[in-house]
Amino acid sequence: MRRSEVHAAESVACLNRALHQLKDIWEEIGIPEDQRLQRTDVVKKHIKGLLDMMIAEEDSLRKRLMSSIESCRKELDVLCTELQLSPFEEDEGRTMLQLEKDIRSRLEVMMKQKSQRVKDLKTLYKQDRELCDIMCSVPFCIDMDSVPSLEQLDSYHSYLNDLTKEKDRRHGEFVGIKRQIIVCMEELDQLPDTSFERDVVCEDEEAFCLSSDNITALQLLLGQLEDRKTENELVCSSYRAKIQELWERALNYTFWPQVFPVYIVCVPFLHGDVNTY
């Protein structure tokens, strides 16, 4: 027998003892039968009122538990759908209190999961926007109004890792090309003319947009400067060759009478060497 059943039996026995005691007291006093019935009726009403009140309180508790269980079930169904999880399975044979506790505990866990996923999504989205501003790229395709799955968060995280590596690669390429462009401009004695050239040479490296178009434009600009530098070197080389050729001809003795015949003839005369003639 359950302890609660034992307590119930003891309560009934206690009530019976109390009624017998009242009966003995009434007989000893000499209370008439009709008054005994009245007093017994008063006792019954008191006891019934107390029991009715207790029953109402306990029934109210039962209804609250049922309402709470139903409400938690609905919230669990919504969360399972949002989190893309299997429906919550209730253990058979659980009492209302146990079931309500289990469902509420599960609900709290899933609400924390939802909150964490939404928080992670916002963090990744912020990082994505920063990278998009730097690289002029398109944001990752994901619904910001729904709760992402774990697979979606993993994919988003992997995408941002790859994008960060690409950003670092482009930044390194930009820094290297920028240095080469500055060297070329210095050698060509050239100042930045266009707004793009000024952005490359004069602006902060961290402020430069690392788009694929800009990287291509950087490579094109460097190629143009190197081509111009090569052309200048070729021109200078041709001038040097011409100068070298003239110098060698000038040093050739047989070249002097052809170029300076009057000078060669007149110089001895001017120096008084008349025997030359």
Side-chain angles (χ1 to χ4, degrees), residues 121 125 140-149 152 156:
L121 178 60
Y125 180 75
F140 185 78
C141 183
I142 191 169
D143 187 2
M144 294 298 297
D145 295 326
S146 62
V147 182
S149 66
Q152 287 176 316
Y156 203 176

Side-chain angles (χ1 to χ4, degrees), residues 183-210:
V183 171
C184 286
M185 285 187 171
E186 290 176 350
E187 292 179 350
L188 292 170
D189 195 18
Q190 174 182 330
L191 294 176
D193 293 331
T194 65
S195 60
F196 179 74
E197 292 177 359
R198 286 190 291 272
D199 287 343
V200 172
V201 176
C202 304
E203 294 296 328
D204 181 15
E205 293 180 355
E206 301 301 327
F208 186 79
C209 178
L210 299 174

Side-chain angles (χ1 to χ4, degrees), residues 74-267:
K74 291 180 180 179
E75 291 186 52
L76 270 179
D77 290 340
V78 173
L79 283 173
C80 287
T81 301
E82 289 181 336
L83 298 174
Q84 303 178 32
L85 298 175
S86 302
F88 176 70
E89 296 183 1
E90 301 174 3
D91 295 334
E92 297 182 358
R94 308 288 282 178
T95 65
M96 282 188 179
L97 283 172
Q98 293 171 334
L99 182 59
E100 199 268 347
K101 181 180 179 182
D102 291 346
I103 294 179
R104 188 169 293 280
S105 297
R106 179 61 177 169
L107 183 61
E108 290 177 357
V109 171
M110 294 181 67
M111 288 180 69
K112 288 181 180 179
Q113 290 182 3
K114 176 182 177 180
S115 177
Q116 186 62 46
R117 289 192 194 181
V118 171
K119 182 180 178 181
D120 292 343
L121 178 60
K122 290 180 178 179
T123 301
L124 294 173
Y125 180 75
K126 181 180 179 182
Q127 183 181 355
D128 190 10
R129 294 302 303 175
E130 292 174 353
L131 289 171
C132 286
D133 291 340
I134 295 174
M135 305 179 66
C136 299
S137 59
V138 179
F140 185 78
C141 183
I142 191 169
D143 187 2
M144 294 298 297
D145 295 326
S146 62
V147 182
S149 66
L150 294 176
E151 290 76 12
Q152 287 176 316
L153 288 176
D154 288 341
S155 298
Y156 203 176
H157 193 268
S158 298
Y159 167 80
L160 291 179
N161 282 340
D162 293 340
L163 194 60
T164 300
K165 293 178 182 178
E166 176 64 15
K167 187 259 298 183
D168 294 339
R169 186 195 68 79
R170 290 187 188 180
H171 184 266
E173 184 177 3
F174 162 67
V175 171
I177 295 177
K178 174 181 177 179
R179 291 173 181 170
Q180 296 179 64
I181 289 175
I182 292 175
V183 171
C184 286
M185 285 187 171
E186 290 176 350
E187 292 179 350
L188 292 170
D189 195 18
Q190 174 182 330
L191 294 176
D193 293 331
T194 65
S195 60
F196 179 74
E197 292 177 359
R198 286 190 291 272
D199 287 343
V200 172
V201 176
C202 304
E203 294 296 328
D204 181 15
E205 293 180 355
E206 301 301 327
F208 186 79
C209 178
L210 299 174
S211 65
S212 57
D213 291 341
N214 276 356
I215 297 298
T216 302
L218 273 175
Q219 295 169 345
L220 179 61
L221 175 59
L222 178 60
Q224 292 172 345
L225 292 172
E226 288 179 339
D227 290 343
R228 197 175 307 164
K229 179 182 173 183
T230 301
E231 292 176 2
N232 287 358
E233 290 175 348
L234 290 175
V235 171
C236 291
S237 179
S238 66
Y239 285 156
R240 282 193 297 270
K242 186 65 175 177
I243 293 172
Q244 182 66 28
E245 179 186 354
L246 291 173
W247 177 251
E248 290 177 354
R249 291 176 63 184
L251 293 178
N252 190 342
Y253 177 78
T254 60
F255 172 73
W256 283 96
Q258 301 175 14
V259 179
F260 304 108
V262 178
Y263 176 80
I264 294 175
V265 172
C266 296
V267 165

Side-chain angles (χ1 to χ4, degrees), residues 27-69:
E27 287 181 352
E28 185 177 354
I29 294 175
I31 301 296
E33 183 65 22
D34 57 340
Q35 292 183 10
R36 293 184 187 181
L37 291 175
Q38 291 177 359
R39 283 174 167 75
T40 302
D41 189 53
V42 171
V43 172
K44 183 183 72 174
K45 288 180 179 180
H46 277 296
I47 294 174
K48 184 177 181 303
L50 179 60
L51 292 175
D52 288 344
M53 182 178 66
M54 294 179 65
I55 291 172
E57 290 178 353
E58 298 304 309
D59 188 56
S60 176
L61 173 61
R62 179 178 64 87
K63 291 178 179 178
R64 288 198 304 271
L65 284 173
M66 293 175 63
S67 177
S68 177
I69 291 172

